[in-house]
Amino acid sequence: MANVKQKMVKLSVLFTTLCLHVAYSRRLTDDIDNEVSALPAGNLGTFEYKTTSYVKITQPPVPVVQRNVGTHVELHCEAMGSPPPTIQWYKGHMRITENESFEDNNYIVDRSPGFAKVASRLVINYVLPRHQDNYYCVAEAGSQVDRKMSALVVPNARGREMNFTQLIASKILGAHHHPRVTFWAPAYMDVIGSDVILPCKSVGNPKPELMWIDPNNKQVTSDEKFEVMQDGELSIRSISWDDMGVYTCIIRNSVGEDSVETFLYPMQESSK
């Protein structure tokens, strides 16, 4: 058990280093070897299979948010884990998102555990009194679960609720909204030879169009190696060292656009 925890600590240290570089520089591919070799004992450029799953919310949503009726609000949450975690949002006890678990995705089988940092946004474009509640960011990886709460308070809620007819008359229902990516992986590590899926879930009205840009700044097209799936995920088969780099998911509609980046880091499997 101690060995598993030690491995997780090492992976977390490496992953934190990777994520910091992703945030501040797109030149991570030039620096990665130095960062790995600078870390404590052992070659952290290798990956050992683990039977113990792990997840931790590394950036919880803010504990309390106050928004008046009619305003826009977003709750943000990030988690790290192995196998790559998924994040669901709950309003009280009711689940309100359907982010698919990496390991439950039937498109890819016989995958290695992998290790990823994932992020999610809960977007409410027009706050109503009914939105006042406790919201939970729930991260799951294998059998492990972590959760954090955020309370949305609507100070002017009293007497401001609208029924369905009023929502239509006020043009709140069906209104056009700026597209936003709601679930993605800022960084993803897996063993060379593994099949991986990079997520990019989004919301927006009209429904956003989506494209992926590869580390060479070229648009990804579906072929034997890559496939852009219907829900926005990017499938990459049998990753190699040449696949390392930043993959950008871009979404657009008539209102605007949004984009997120995923740094993919292929690793050698440990021979131990």
Side-chain angles (χ1 to χ4, degrees):
M1 187 65 179
N3 288 338
V4 171
K5 289 182 179 179
Q6 188 178 23
K7 293 171 188 173
M8 287 300 183
V9 169
K10 288 182 178 180
L11 282 173
S12 296
V13 171
L14 172 59
F15 215 68
T16 300
T17 304
L18 293 180
C19 294
L20 286 172
H21 277 274
V22 170
Y24 294 107
S25 172
R26 294 181 62 93
R27 295 180 58 198
L28 180 61
T29 52
D30 297 330
D31 300 331
I32 189 64
D33 287 335
N34 291 333
E35 295 300 332
V36 169
S37 61
L39 292 171
N43 178 11
L44 297 184
T46 63
F47 187 95
E48 297 182 38
Y49 285 95
K50 301 173 294 298
T51 58
T52 303
S53 51
Y54 163 83
V55 69
K56 179 178 176 59
I57 292 177
T58 53
Q59 183 177 330
V62 294
V64 180
V65 180
Q66 292 194 30
R67 291 290 189 278
N68 285 327
V69 171
T71 58
H72 176 99
V73 65
E74 295 183 7
L75 301 180
H76 183 90
C77 187
E78 295 183 5
M80 188 180 296
S82 177
T86 188
I87 292 177
Q88 305 287 358
W89 289 93
Y90 286 75
K91 181 177 184 286
H93 298 292
M94 181 179 68
R95 188 167 73 176
I96 53 179
T97 58
E98 294 292 338
N99 292 328
E100 195 172 52
S101 170
F102 286 82
E103 63 215 25
D104 291 341
N105 192 314
N106 292 325
Y107 182 79
I108 286 184
V109 295
D110 297 329
R111 300 181 62 252
S112 71
F115 194 87
K117 178 180 182 179
V118 297
S120 182
R121 299 180 180 123
L122 178 65
V123 179
I124 302 175
N125 287 301
Y126 193 101
V127 171
L128 294 167
R130 70 189 68 171
H131 291 132
Q132 181 167 276
D133 210 328
N134 292 331
Y135 291 81
Y136 296 87
C137 168
V138 180
E140 299 181 55
S143 61
Q144 301 300 304
V145 178
D146 194 12
R147 70 188 68 213
K148 299 295 180 182
M149 189 194 82
S150 179
L152 175 57
V153 179
V154 185
N156 67 338
R158 188 177 180 87
R160 301 291 299 275
E161 191 58 88
M162 298 184 190
N163 59 33
F164 184 77
T165 302
Q166 291 170 321
L167 290 171
I168 293 178
S170 302
K171 298 183 179 180
I172 295 172
L173 285 182
H176 286 187
H177 295 295
H178 196 284
R180 290 294 274 165
V181 178
T182 57
F183 182 61
W184 72 102
Y188 196 117
M189 296 192 298
D190 212 333
V191 177
I192 289 174
S194 298
D195 297 337
V196 303
I197 290 181
L198 308 183
C200 186
K201 307 280 188 181
S202 63
V203 295
N205 188 36
K207 183 179 179 180
E209 297 181 352
L210 177 147
M211 72 171 68
W212 282 91
I213 304 298
D214 69 17
N216 298 314
N217 205 32
K218 296 180 180 179
Q219 183 175 349
V220 176
T221 57
S222 295
D223 55 23
E224 294 182 356
K225 177 76 173 182
F226 299 94
E227 182 175 357
V228 180
M229 303 171 75
Q230 288 186 345
D231 58 359
E233 295 173 328
L234 176 61
S235 165
I236 308 177
R237 297 177 178 85
S238 189
I239 61 171
S240 67
W241 188 251
D242 292 338
D243 297 320
M244 184 179 73
V246 175
Y247 292 80
T248 304
C249 176
I250 302 173
I251 59 171
R252 294 190 179 104
N253 66 11
S254 59
V255 182
E257 72 174 57
D258 192 17
S259 65
V260 294
E261 294 181 344
T262 296
F263 182 80
L264 176 64
Y265 181 44
M267 303 179 71
Q268 291 288 347
E269 182 182 353
S270 173
S271 58
K272 294 182 180 180

